């Protein structure tokens, strides 16, 4: 089987379960952003990531593949009966992970700047990609092309990635860099 089909050369792509849409449709934009998020997590995992964070990221990558499949499959098609579903416990599990990780951290008193270790910087970047994906899914949801549970999943994931970035820095002894705004000139 060849990787190229030439069927997208006209600016359209096929949806899982049939049908063709423009490549700039809100649905394709949404699952494209989720794909980019998944790739950014793969990049983060390639860095010096603590073992437990790496294992969690791998599980999240698997879940994101499901999220992408859900977004790429119109509801009511025959294919939609055969793809995995988002599980409510995925959000609950992320909340539990956030709570557990926060026990390692000092409470936040300031906004923090993204960065620190390579692992933390990559996680912060993934967090921003996640926020963008969430915005695209909200747009798709408004047009009836996405479900609310995808938004909730991505919203919680961005929170988790933020906390994981802080943990990655903490575990290698790098303090969060506080954002201290400049005072306005008088």
């Amino acid at each position: 089987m060849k990787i190229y089909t030439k069927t997208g050369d006209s600016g359209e792509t096929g949806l899982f379960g049939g049908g063709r849409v423009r490549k700039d449709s809100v649905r394709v934009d949404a699952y494209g952003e989720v794909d980019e998020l998944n790739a950014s997590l793969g990049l983060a995992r390639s860095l010096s990531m603590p073992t437990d964070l790496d294992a969690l990221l791998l599980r999240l990558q698997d879940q994101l593949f499901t999220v992408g499949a859900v977004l790429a499959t119109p509801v009511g098609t025959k294919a939609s009966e055969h793809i995995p579903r988002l599980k409510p416990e995925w959000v609950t599990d992320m909340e539990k992970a956030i709570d557990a990780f926060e026990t390692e951290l000092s409470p936040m008193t300031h906004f923090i700047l993204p960065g620190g270790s390579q692992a933390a910087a990559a996680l912060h970047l993934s967090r921003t990609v996640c926020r963008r994906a969430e915005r695209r899914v909200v747009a798709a949801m408004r047009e009836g092309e996405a479900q609310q549970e995808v938004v909730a999943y991505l919203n919680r994931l961005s929170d988790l990635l933020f906390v994981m970035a802080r943990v990655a820095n903490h575990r290698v002894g790098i303090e969060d860099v506080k954002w201290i705004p400049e005072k306005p000139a008088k």
Side-chain angles (χ1 to χ4, degrees):
M1 173 186 220
K2 290 186 176 189
I3 191 69
Y4 59 90
T5 62
K6 300 183 183 181
T7 59
D9 291 354
S10 66
E12 292 186 342
T13 190
L15 295 175
F16 190 62
R20 296 191 67 75
V21 295
R22 299 237 0 117
K23 289 186 177 187
D24 62 355
S25 75
V26 293
R27 176 187 298 274
V28 175
D29 201 23
Y31 71 70
E33 295 292 346
V34 168
D35 187 35
E36 183 179 347
L37 171 58
N38 204 334
S40 76
L41 294 183
L43 176 63
R45 291 187 61 230
S46 75
L47 302 171
S48 297
M49 190 67 60
T51 305
D52 60 330
L53 299 187
D54 182 67
L56 178 53
L57 289 173
L58 178 59
R59 189 167 75 239
L60 294 169
Q61 282 189 287
D62 184 65
Q63 291 173 2
L64 283 171
F65 214 85
T66 298
V67 171
V70 166
L71 289 169
T73 309
V75 174
T77 61
K78 193 171 194 173
S80 69
E81 299 168 13
H82 301 287
I83 61 164
R85 299 277 176 238
L86 275 70
K87 297 179 181 175
E89 60 264 25
W90 291 352
V91 171
T92 305
D93 290 346
M94 285 190 278
E95 291 169 351
K96 289 176 184 174
I98 290 167
D99 293 343
F101 287 138
E102 284 190 327
T103 65
E104 295 182 43
L105 302 169
S106 58
M108 283 184 48
T109 58
H110 292 77
F111 287 108
I112 65 168
L113 300 177
S117 67
Q118 286 184 336
L123 289 165
H124 277 297
L125 181 60
S126 292
R127 173 187 55 79
T128 65
V129 174
C130 187
R131 288 285 190 205
R132 186 174 65 231
E134 181 184 5
R135 291 190 300 271
R136 297 302 193 275
V137 171
V138 166
M141 188 175 68
R142 187 176 52 243
E143 294 191 23
E145 302 290 326
Q147 297 80 31
Q148 189 279 328
E149 66 246 14
V150 175
V151 177
Y153 177 88
L154 293 172
N155 185 274
R156 205 67 76 255
L157 177 56
S158 63
D159 294 336
L160 176 59
L161 293 170
F162 177 78
V163 172
M164 289 173 73
R166 291 191 67 215
V167 166
N169 274 340
H170 173 73
R171 289 185 182 174
V172 294
I174 296 176
E175 286 189 39
D176 292 326
V177 178
K178 295 175 183 172
W179 176 60
I180 302 173
E182 292 183 26
K183 303 226 186 277
K186 293 185 178 187

